[in-house]
DNA sequence: ACCCTCGGGACTACCCGTTGCT
DNA sequence: AGCAACGGGTAGTCCCGAGGGT
């Protein structure tokens, strides 16, 4: 029902704002305009809401990634950039994404499930890195899985610092800078310039 | 008093284990072998303990960094590696460091103070990056502050994922890999090999 | 409607299992395969179900007692035994009877109505005890009402202990033993032996 | 501390009045003049209070029984009567005893521990019944354990009905009547009259 | 002067019986 | 008869002072 979605959105906003522990049921229900009873009709517990939120965001990102890979006919490296860009923009203005990430990082609450989104990204990026290497976009000095195992956490860290220090106002800039380093590290000299300009196009500010 | 230190250590262990919110006064005092009254004699509040913990860790790291910069006569880039290595090892086995980082990342609790450690690292690394450029260790393609603004979050991210995915068992390996990327990106071709072997020495497993 | 009976049976099973307070509407409706709405179409409230259950069990027992008194041409003392036997067997395998007794004993919920079944038994047994005395089955050392006021609670107690200690597996045995004591107490010596064998026939195990 | 006892007494009064489930923490603490915090300092949970109450009553009764057996030089049958009398009087005016019995009967909450008091009485009464037989107080027609297995539940039932029907105002009378039946059943004819008068002395109304 | 037992108060997640609207 | 929602209420917990012991 519509109430369920209202609750999820209210929960996302609240969780993204104050974190899971400090997001009270009262605040969520009040924001959604319903009563606690209604909430516990749709969700078994507070954790169940968070789980749903995580899954939804997880799935949202997967779909976006899938779409990008499908629709766009671009170098694998550029696909990676677009995925980073997509996620970064979501982190700036979509409560669902923000809440999902917050829940993934403040792992106080969830056991092993918390790492799932990371694992997902790792396999996707490992795959893309492999294709990039095959396409000659990278020098091959670094194995694809090593590269993926660096890009994903690097992005996570950039996002984390940007959030802590500037409330993500400089996020796009920092992600752009991150890709400049990556291009310098893995793209053959001859193709670096075109990659730089591709990056500039991807991370151009307007939403 | 000795009680104060016992309290701090018990708090560090507990916070590193379950996070600030779920670390109860009761658990901390029980672990320290004292009563809540004793705790509130030494600290004004639960937050005060966390603040003390953060400051202590902050200061511990600063001292270590200072020592490294002083004692070692090494390229600035290698100094950075050693600082990363130092922190990584602390993150693996020192409760104080682990608790400090946890408190910095799970920022639920503290307003703006949470970013202080990051800012500290940023200025230190910006400085070192400048020196590295002057010494010809880097190509200069990236301004020192841009470089620092990438290394620090990248390390934070690597640590975060390593913690989430492997409880930091692969942390040293990942940090080493991170530096391989960085070397490829910023060190002039002629000096890369010596930097690679320097990195190998720094991140050699034995503690 | 058939739904009504399903509801009653499910409620009986649930109440007999966990008691009135802990028997949730959700569990009952789920067991009956209907929705809360359906329940509230047939019953005004949760208490109404319990009342219906009590009345039904009350009536079931009355009918059984009536039948025994009517059909059987036996000494009044033996009629009493048969009624005890009947109820005991119901307490072992009929959810309706079990639930009814549970509701009568866990009197948390109902005010004065709870004693009704007891009062009923008391008048019936007082009457039977009077007839027994007239028929010379008893010595008359104890007035009929005193005798009834002992047999009824004694049975209640035997049932209670048997339930608590052995989940009623030894109920029939204990009720038989109870009647052995009663026979020794009130039956004239000359007729005791025949009463003992009558008791043995009544409380013979096979259902 | 004194607070602990106040809480136990308040809990006893409340539980004896409305039962375990309907005895709210708020009511108990309010009656004891303390706050929930104080209660949860002394007891881990609501159930823990009930457990303590049961144990205390259990122990109280045991001590009383021990004292009776020690101090009094009386026939075993009379000792049993005195124990019944003692418990009956406790059931009339001592909240602790009333609450203990209520918790034992409304067994909704506690698993197997609930039967412990019964088991205790059974062994004590079996022992006393054996001594009575040896002393020639009983005919020996009933084995001691059968006798005990009848007296204990009979008392329980008498108490239960008296509570339900008259709020225990006729309890002493009913227990007296119960013993009249028992004397008729098991005491040799020649000694019955003296036992009857012993019973009259034991169950004389004044406290 | 230091330490601790004990108590206070507020708040939260959770659940449940019940009822409109369809 | 069903789906969805309501609102009241309870156990549990936690952080934190104020009073006595040592």
């Amino acid at each position: 029902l519509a109430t369920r979605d209202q609750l999820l959105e209210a929960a996302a906003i609240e969780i993204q704002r104050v974190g899971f522990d400090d997001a009270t049921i009262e605040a969520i229900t009040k924001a959604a305009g319903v009563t606690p009873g209604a909430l516990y009709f749709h969700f078994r517990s507070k954790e169940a809401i968070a789980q749903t939120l995580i899954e939804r965001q997880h799935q949202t990102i997967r779909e976006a990634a899938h779409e990008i890979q499908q629709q766009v006919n671009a170098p694998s490296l550029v696909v990676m950039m677009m995925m980073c860009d997509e996620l970064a923009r979501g982190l700036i203005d979509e409560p669902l994404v923000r809440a999902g990430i917050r829940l993934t990082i403040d792992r106080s609450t969830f056991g092993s499930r918390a790492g799932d989104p990371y694992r997902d990204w790792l396999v996707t990026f490992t795959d893309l890195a492999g294709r990039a290497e095959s396409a000659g976009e990278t020098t091959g000095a670094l194995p694809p899985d090593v590269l993926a195992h660096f890009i994903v956490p690097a992005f996570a860290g950039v996002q984390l610092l940007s959030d802590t220090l500037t409330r993500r106002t400089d996020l796009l800039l920092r992600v752009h800078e991150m890709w400049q380093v990556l291009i310098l590290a893995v793209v053959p000299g001859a193709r670096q310039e075109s990659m730089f300009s591709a990056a500039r196009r991807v991370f151009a500010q307007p939403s």
Side-chain angles (χ1 to χ4, degrees), chain A:
Chain A
L1 200 38
T3 301
R4 187 185 163 92
D5 285 348
Q6 279 179 322
L7 279 167
L8 280 173
E9 189 173 344
I13 292 172
E14 200 62 14
I15 286 174
Q16 155 255 333
R17 217 170 49 84
V18 298
F20 179 80
D21 283 333
D22 291 350
T24 68
I25 296 284
E26 191 187 359
I28 292 171
T29 53
K30 197 159 289 179
V34 300
T35 60
L39 187 151
Y40 280 94
F41 175 82
H42 289 287
F43 303 95
R44 211 177 50 262
S45 69
K46 192 183 168 189
E47 269 203 43
I49 302 178
Q51 290 286 3
T52 306
L53 241 28
I54 288 179
E55 279 163 29
R56 243 183 165 66
Q57 180 251 354
H58 197 170
Q59 174 185 343
T60 299
I61 292 295
R62 284 191 75 120
E63 284 170 5
H66 201 68
E67 224 172 298
I68 289 171
Q69 288 183 256
Q70 222 76 27
Q71 295 185 348
V72 176
N73 197 340
S76 297
L77 240 37
V78 177
V79 170
M80 293 189 204
M81 291 181 208
M82 292 175 77
M83 287 177 64
C84 288
D85 178 66
E86 175 76 21
L87 183 54
R89 291 181 194 275
L91 282 167
I92 290 170
D93 45 34
E94 289 191 34
L96 179 64
V97 178
R98 299 179 67 124
I101 292 291
R102 178 85 119 120
L103 285 168
T104 302
I105 292 181
D106 295 4
R107 100 235 76 149
S108 347
T109 344
F110 312 100
S112 50
R113 303 289 307 272
D116 287 356
Y118 293 139
R119 271 182 276 268
D120 238 47
W121 277 69
L122 285 173
V123 316
T124 302
F125 271 60
T126 301
D127 176 54
L128 286 168
R131 298 192 194 192
E133 183 173 337
S134 305
E137 301 168 28
T138 63
T139 62
L142 292 168
D145 70 301
V146 168
L147 189 54
H149 266 88
F150 175 64
I151 299 178
V152 172
F155 179 88
V158 165
Q159 173 274 325
L160 180 61
L161 274 272
S162 175
D163 185 27
T164 305
L165 297 176
T166 71
R167 293 176 149 263
R168 296 206 180 103
T169 53
D170 67 350
L171 180 54
L172 249 22
L173 169 63
R174 296 302 176 197
V175 175
H176 190 181
E177 289 175 359
M178 167 182 119
W179 273 101
Q180 293 177 20
V181 178
L182 289 170
I183 290 168
L184 284 173
V186 301
V187 176
R191 304 183 66 164
Q192 287 188 356
E193 199 45 55
S194 73
M195 278 296 171
F196 280 134
S197 61
R200 274 192 294 275
R201 277 194 300 277
V202 170
F203 296 108
Q205 286 288 354
S207 171

